[in-house]
Amino acid sequence: GVQTCALPIWAPGALWMNTANNAATLTGPVTLGSATRIEAADATALTFSNTVTSADQPLWCTVSNSSGVMAFQNTLSLGNAGLTKDGPGTVVLGGSTNLCSSTVVSNGTLRITAATSPQIGDVTLYGGSLYIGNTTNTLGGALPSGLINLVPSAANMTINTSNLLFLTNQVIGAGSITLLTNNVLTITSSNSFAGAMAIGSSTLSGGIVDLRNSYGLGDGTASKAIQIVRNELQLRGNLDI
């Protein structure tokens, strides 16, 4: 069953949820009084349906189960402090307000299903993936406003949303981008990510990448694989790619 509780976290330390093969929902507001780690050990789902806030205190989110999900459905506000996601599972930012100074993904997946652009600073992936949108449908999802650094070649950003999106911030690193959508992604930024760009899939058609910058898919310093399946890549303006 689903367990519910309300919990203010005032003292230094951690919130550790170990509900094997189960789910836990925290329905009350959570206040982080100091640097905090929240770990979902064996829980299949840990959900915060109310606000999670701190006064400039960093938060580490660990999802130890590869199929586990830690979801923030309301405001997540850390002020001028950072968010770090580790463990093989997934952390979901789904509330209308997401605020922190920087975001680091060590492994696993950070999924953004919020409809408004999260103000989560620069996003750095040392492993795992940044997933924009929902895996079960194409509703919701917005790009973060800061720089996106896909550090290793295994790091990936996947965009799977029916929202019209504009990539205006820079994407760097050795990683890749995958676009799974039936709508338009407009790229205006100069990017230097070295990995491949995959647009569309065998089961999806109608998506468009509207490229408006010669360096939108990379800076030209390395060869790049661009795969287009049942979708379109449109070059807008006098571009040289």
Side-chain angles (χ1 to χ4, degrees):
V2 176
Q3 304 169 358
T4 62
C5 61
L7 181 67
I9 304 174
W10 296 107
L15 169 63
W16 185 63
M17 301 300 294
N18 185 10
T19 55
N21 301 316
N22 212 332
T25 300
L26 278 72
T27 59
V30 174
T31 303
L32 311 177
S34 64
T36 303
R37 178 181 296 275
I38 301 176
E39 179 171 358
D42 293 321
T44 56
L46 173 58
T47 301
F48 296 88
S49 61
N50 212 312
T51 59
V52 178
T53 59
S54 80
D56 301 332
Q57 298 295 334
L59 172 63
W60 289 263
C61 295
T62 303
V63 185
S64 302
N65 189 332
S66 60
S67 61
V69 177
M70 183 185 300
F72 297 90
Q73 296 180 340
N74 208 309
T75 294
L76 173 65
S77 179
L78 306 179
N80 191 31
L83 170 67
T84 299
K85 187 265 169 233
D86 57 18
T90 299
V91 168
V92 179
L93 302 182
S96 59
T97 301
N98 297 281
L99 175 66
C100 63
S101 63
S102 62
T103 302
V104 171
V105 178
S106 296
N107 62 339
T109 300
L110 176 65
R111 186 188 308 159
I112 299 172
T113 61
T116 54
S117 180
Q119 304 302 303
I120 55 176
D122 293 345
V123 180
T124 303
L125 277 73
Y126 293 107
S129 63
L130 174 64
Y131 198 103
I132 311 298
N134 203 314
T135 57
T136 57
N137 56 60
T138 58
L139 301 177
L143 288 163
S145 58
L147 178 143
I148 299 171
N149 188 357
L150 308 173
V151 177
S153 59
N156 171 264
M157 178 171 69
T158 295
I159 300 172
N160 181 24
T161 174
S162 59
N163 292 345
L164 287 168
L165 295 182
F166 288 82
L167 180 60
T168 59
N169 43 319
Q170 190 178 26
V171 182
I172 66 174
S176 60
I177 296 179
T178 302
L179 180 67
L180 301 173
T181 181
N182 58 359
N183 217 317
V184 179
L185 171 66
T186 300
I187 301 177
T188 61
S189 55
S190 294
N191 303 301
S192 61
F193 70 97
M197 177 81 179
I199 305 171
S201 70
S202 60
T203 60
L204 183 71
S205 62
I208 296 173
V209 171
D210 181 4
L211 187 63
R212 303 189 182 187
N213 189 313
S214 294
Y215 301 114
L217 300 181
D219 60 8
T221 58
S223 60
K224 178 179 297 289
I226 301 175
Q227 175 180 293
I228 306 172
V229 181
R230 302 181 68 191
N231 282 30
E232 295 181 23
L233 173 61
Q234 295 183 353
L235 307 183
R236 188 75 63 93
N238 185 21
L239 303 184
D240 181 7
I241 62 172

